[in-house]
Amino acid sequence: MLVSGRSMAAGFGVITLTDPALGGMAAGQMAIPAGWAGHGIVAVDSCHVSQAKYPVFRIHSADGKMSAQALQSYGWTWDTGNPGLKAASGCLPL
């Protein structure tokens, strides 16, 4: 979520999301409640052809009683166990 000046006036702060594949370069900002802290990155979904980018973050209130997080998704691969059969590819339909 990009942050505008209006959001800042409405009681929001920001965290900077970095791109670890590019040496920690700033990749965007995300609005969080005022007084909260946290960190995050921009991850790539390597399981799908589109390789969509999405935020992975952890934020917490100043008193530590509330928090929110979004973790990365995991791609899966599988094998048939039989050398004569081709292993399936792609993502599991979970």
Side-chain angles (χ1 to χ4, degrees):
M1 172 187 308
L2 295 178
V3 180
S4 67
R6 184 175 180 188
S7 295
M8 293 298 289
F12 287 91
V14 297
I15 58 171
T16 299
L17 302 175
T18 61
D19 188 335
L22 295 174
M25 179 180 81
Q29 292 183 321
M30 189 177 89
I32 63 173
W36 284 45
H39 60 276
I41 63 169
V42 174
V44 176
D45 181 0
S46 60
C47 188
H48 295 94
V49 175
S50 67
Q51 293 193 344
K53 294 177 173 66
Y54 56 93
V56 175
F57 63 88
R58 288 189 176 115
I59 59 174
H60 55 86
S61 63
D63 62 8
K65 293 182 180 179
M66 296 178 62
S67 66
Q69 63 183 350
L71 303 176
Q72 73 186 72
S73 62
Y74 291 95
W76 293 79
T77 60
W78 56 93
D79 194 349
T80 63
N82 183 336
L85 296 176
K86 182 179 177 187
S89 62
C91 297
L92 292 174
L94 300 177

